[in-house]
Amino acid sequence: MQKLSLRAVQKLTCKKRDAWWTVLLVDPVATRLVCLFARFDWITPNRVTWAALFVGLGSAGFFLKGDYESLAIGAGLYHISFILDCIDGKLARLKGNGSVFGGWLDYVFDRIRVLFCALALMGGQFFRTDEPVFLLAALVVVFLDMLRYVDALQIYKMRMSMRSKIEAVTLARQAEAGVKEEDQKVVFMEDLLRENPLAEGETLKAAAATRPGQPEVIDLHQQFRESFPWYARFRHALLRTRIRPHLISGIEFQMFIFIVGPLIGHVLVTTAVSAILLGAFELVIMFKFWLSTRDFTRTMERLAPDSVPTRAGSISPHLQAGRHRRREGDQGRPDTGADTWTGQDDPYSHDAPYLQEHQYSQETRTEPDGWNAQVTWMDQRFPAPEPDDDPGFQPYPHPYPAEPEAQDTAWLPRVPTQPHPGHHHADSGQSWS
């Protein structure tokens, strides 16, 4: 196999934006190892993932000893484990043999490595000092690591949900306007910035507006950029070196706790500082996501005003107390025993023509067809709420079984009763066996 070009491998395998620890301390080593590993067919991405896990567990073993030499060796092994963890993805992108299972395996092994290393590092310090605060620190490290990745996945899912709703509305409007199906498309500002990371957002939006037939650019981060105009300059300065603006992510959090802390001999202080910085950056991400949801709401109000509830935050009038109760003086309503109910003097008087046409009398409601018609009308008048828009939503089971509604069964044919086996029948004088 011919020697691979290092520059070509870096361009193909390195991400356009990555954590500063990865860009500065991992990629220079990882890309060179990828050029070496790619020559051997038996080195697969999944095997590299397993190797990263075993090296990480080895670092946990040294952390558990607690002395400085063991902590230094454990920190070195953890860094090697993280380099291998980066190599598996780069090798998969280079050779095109990545898989969905490999991505899942990489994610799960990362969480296992953090769990064992956190328990071993803090446990080793607890055995040496007998200070319970190290046990609390272990719980904090595991909790923040899980919170960081769970929050990232949930925000990603919500962003995809907002994008899908906007795409559905925009494509429907384009179809109504007579745009051909092959010409229908939705353009998001975040996609344009991802393709042109060093470009200005307003410049991309203006360039898209000048193109004939170019659809409107949807910007779900407009309010954030308007509130913090300096962020764009800060982002561009970092992206020139492939460093993403999120300076304290889960990667830096792990590296400071499992590498910097053991090397400088201040595990507890480093853990506390890293936890505070990670929590602060997570709050910034949540705030940015909240502003993005406000941009989404305004966009939907502009694109599809009919789909946005105008009474958001208030209770529907038909759910007010007493609406479904029998009250004295009610005439001409169901449940009051009156002959007919025409809908006169009712807050929902627009239903009166339908009611007058069907004339729901007391006798009619006791018939099967009349009962079904009334149930159908009620379902149309008070429809069930729409299912949750979250694609991963599953409704919780009701804690108590619903009681069957009382219905008039006088119209049902009477079924003759049969005596229980072994019971003496009064008419025949015989026993059933």
Side-chain angles (χ1 to χ4, degrees):
M1 182 177 181
Q2 296 181 353
K3 185 178 180 179
L4 297 175
S5 170
L6 179 61
R7 184 177 297 273
V9 171
Q10 290 176 342
K11 185 177 181 179
L12 182 61
T13 61
C14 293
K15 300 177 182 178
K16 293 183 178 180
R17 297 184 301 171
D18 212 335
W20 63 267
W21 185 281
T22 303
V23 173
L24 300 178
L25 302 176
V26 175
D27 282 348
V29 179
T31 50
R32 287 170 171 79
L33 291 178
V34 167
C35 295
L36 176 63
F37 291 167
R39 300 182 179 184
F40 304 97
D41 294 335
W42 58 271
I43 300 180
T44 62
N46 287 349
R47 290 178 178 176
V48 176
T49 304
W50 279 98
L53 174 64
F54 291 141
V55 175
L57 294 180
S59 68
F62 282 96
F63 285 152
L64 190 58
K65 295 181 178 181
D67 59 279
Y68 179 78
E69 292 183 359
S70 299
L71 292 179
I73 296 175
L77 289 177
Y78 194 91
H79 188 59
I80 295 175
S81 174
F82 184 71
I83 292 177
L84 292 175
D85 187 32
C86 295
I87 288 177
D88 58 3
K90 297 180 186 299
L91 190 62
R93 288 189 289 271
L94 178 64
K95 304 182 71 171
N97 57 349
S99 63
V100 176
F101 177 76
W104 172 85
L105 197 70
D106 182 50
Y107 175 81
V108 173
F109 282 2
D110 286 348
R111 307 284 71 76
I112 294 176
R113 180 181 58 194
V114 172
L115 174 63
F116 277 84
C117 287
L119 295 178
L121 178 62
M122 302 305 172
Q125 297 303 304
F126 170 73
F127 293 145
R128 293 183 70 252
T129 61
D130 290 333
E131 295 184 7
V133 67
F134 286 102
L135 300 180
L136 179 61
L139 295 178
V140 170
V141 171
V142 175
F143 170 76
L144 289 179
D145 179 75
M146 295 299 296
L147 176 64
R148 168 72 189 101
Y149 283 91
V150 170
D151 183 50
L153 291 175
Q154 186 66 17
I155 289 180
Y156 173 78
K157 184 171 65 173
M158 292 297 100
R159 290 191 186 280
M160 292 299 102
S161 176
M162 292 190 296
R163 286 175 59 107
S164 63
K165 292 178 183 179
I166 293 177
E167 288 176 352
V169 173
T170 304
L171 294 178
R173 293 184 61 187
Q174 293 177 1
E176 293 177 357
V179 180
K180 297 181 180 180
E181 184 175 358
E182 58 271 14
D183 297 333
Q184 297 177 8
K185 59 181 179 179
V186 184
V187 180
F188 289 92
M189 176 61 70
E190 54 187 317
D191 295 337
L192 296 178
L193 290 176
R194 189 177 296 110
E195 297 172 358
N196 307 275
L198 298 180
E200 294 286 346
E202 296 300 328
T203 304
L204 294 175
K205 184 180 295 187
T210 57
R211 299 175 185 174
Q214 180 74 13
E216 176 188 2
V217 177
I218 305 298
D219 189 0
L220 293 180
H221 299 285
Q222 180 177 357
Q223 188 173 359
F224 180 81
R225 278 193 290 269
E226 292 177 352
S227 302
F228 306 96
W230 54 266
Y231 175 78
R233 298 188 297 271
F234 174 71
R235 175 179 177 272
H236 293 161
L238 292 178
L239 289 181
R240 289 187 177 93
T241 56
R242 293 197 306 113
I243 297 177
R244 62 187 181 188
H246 191 188
L247 297 179
I248 305 297
S249 64
I251 294 176
E252 289 81 8
F253 177 69
Q254 295 178 29
M255 300 305 114
F256 270 84
I257 292 176
F258 300 123
I259 297 179
V260 177
L263 288 178
I264 66 177
H266 296 284
V267 175
L268 194 60
V269 175
T270 307
T271 301
V273 173
S274 302
I276 294 174
L277 292 177
L278 180 65
F281 269 84
E282 286 302 305
L283 290 178
V284 172
I285 291 178
M286 295 177 186
F287 176 71
K288 185 179 178 181
F289 176 68
W290 175 68
L291 293 180
S292 180
T293 59
R294 292 167 60 89
D295 290 331
F296 166 74
T297 302
R298 284 194 294 268
T299 302
M300 291 297 295
E301 289 176 350
R302 178 170 49 83
L303 296 177
D306 296 337
S307 64
V308 180
T310 58
R311 293 178 54 86
S314 60
I315 300 177
S316 180
H318 75 276
L319 297 178
Q320 301 293 336
R323 289 287 183 181
H324 304 287
R325 299 177 183 174
R326 183 181 303 172
R327 296 175 295 183
E328 295 182 1
D330 286 347
Q331 299 294 334
R333 295 176 181 268
D335 305 332
T336 61
D339 292 337
T340 59
W341 176 37
T342 61
Q344 300 292 339
D345 301 329
D346 188 83
Y348 304 108
S349 57
H350 54 274
D351 295 321
Y354 183 86
L355 299 174
Q356 292 175 356
E357 177 183 355
H358 288 77
Q359 289 292 317
Y360 286 123
S361 63
Q362 182 71 23
E363 180 180 358
T364 303
R365 292 200 310 273
T366 61
E367 299 176 359
D369 295 339
W371 175 265
N372 294 334
Q374 185 180 10
V375 170
T376 302
W377 175 82
M378 292 296 292
D379 290 340
Q380 295 175 354
R381 185 63 191 85
F382 304 110
E386 295 294 331
D388 195 289
D389 292 324
D390 184 355
F393 172 78
Q394 294 294 335
Y396 291 100
H398 199 278
Y400 304 101
E403 297 182 0
E405 298 181 359
Q407 299 182 9
D408 191 351
T409 59
W411 55 274
L412 292 175
R414 183 175 298 276
V415 180
T417 58
Q418 296 183 1
H420 192 274
H423 181 71
H424 182 76
H425 197 280
D427 296 335
S428 63
Q430 299 178 356
S431 297
W432 296 87
S433 58

